[in-house]
Amino acid sequence: MPEVRLPDGVATEAGATDPRPGWFREHGIVLIVVALGGGIGAEARYGMARLLPTRPGHFPWGTFLTNVVGCFAIGVLMVLITEVWTGHRLVRPFLGVGFLGGFTTFSTYAVETRNLLEPGTVYVAFGYLAGTLIAAMAAVLAAVTLTRTVLLRKQIHPGGTDEEQA
């Protein structure tokens, strides 16, 4: 049988070296900030659901707005952290994966769509299904375009608007 070489820190017998301490030292903080951001984002989503509760058989406006607003925020964030800032390495995991991942809720979107697939609400289900997809993608595109436009305008006119400079 050929010899198998394992990564450093991994032993072939039980009770020997455990690879997790080195792994956690390298990646643990990322997991912690993602979890923290996700918890805060989920609380924000819960607040939105309390403000706009979904009634059975009706269009789920709370979830729809949560997902569209979250996608818009993702578009703004991605432009800022990939094109503008040289931010800390934990900003993207905390805000993008954690907070906005916890805030948006595409699993609820799927469940609500399924629940609307009943006689009398099938059109609402398909409207919600297509409407959320289109609105979420449009929100990301609008956010990216708007953020880049605002940033470009600030680069061209760093002191303010044309009227202020005249």
Side-chain angles (χ1 to χ4, degrees):
M1 181 177 212
E3 183 179 322
V4 177
R5 179 154 169 78
L6 299 174
D8 291 340
V10 178
T12 56
E13 295 182 21
T17 310
D18 185 350
R20 289 176 289 183
W23 182 90
F24 188 78
R25 245 189 319 277
E26 188 177 336
H27 302 291
I29 190 67
V30 175
L31 293 176
I32 291 168
V33 299
V34 167
L36 261 162
I40 296 167
E43 287 295 321
R45 175 174 23 103
Y46 176 74
M48 188 78 125
R50 299 282 294 178
L51 281 172
L52 297 166
T54 299
R55 295 189 337 239
H58 291 84
F59 192 90
W61 286 106
T63 306
F64 176 81
L65 289 174
T66 297
N67 287 333
V68 172
V69 167
C71 285
F72 186 89
I74 287 169
V76 171
L77 177 67
M78 288 302 118
V79 169
L80 293 177
I81 65 175
T82 61
E83 298 176 19
V84 179
W85 301 332
T86 307
H88 191 277
R89 72 180 185 95
L90 298 176
V91 170
R92 190 174 184 168
F94 177 75
L95 292 175
V97 179
F99 180 79
L100 292 172
F103 180 68
T104 56
T105 175
F106 286 91
S107 59
T108 301
Y109 159 66
V111 169
E112 288 171 342
T113 300
R114 167 60 188 98
N115 290 342
L116 287 168
L117 288 173
E118 299 290 330
T121 58
V122 171
Y123 292 118
V124 176
F126 283 108
Y128 179 51
L129 181 70
T132 298
L133 178 64
I134 292 166
M137 295 301 290
V140 172
L141 182 61
V144 167
T145 303
L146 183 64
T147 304
R148 286 179 176 155
T149 301
V150 168
L151 293 171
L152 181 62
R153 187 168 291 147
K154 286 187 180 218
Q155 288 176 353
I156 294 171
H157 305 290
T161 63
D162 291 334
E163 292 80 22
E164 291 173 353
Q165 292 179 1

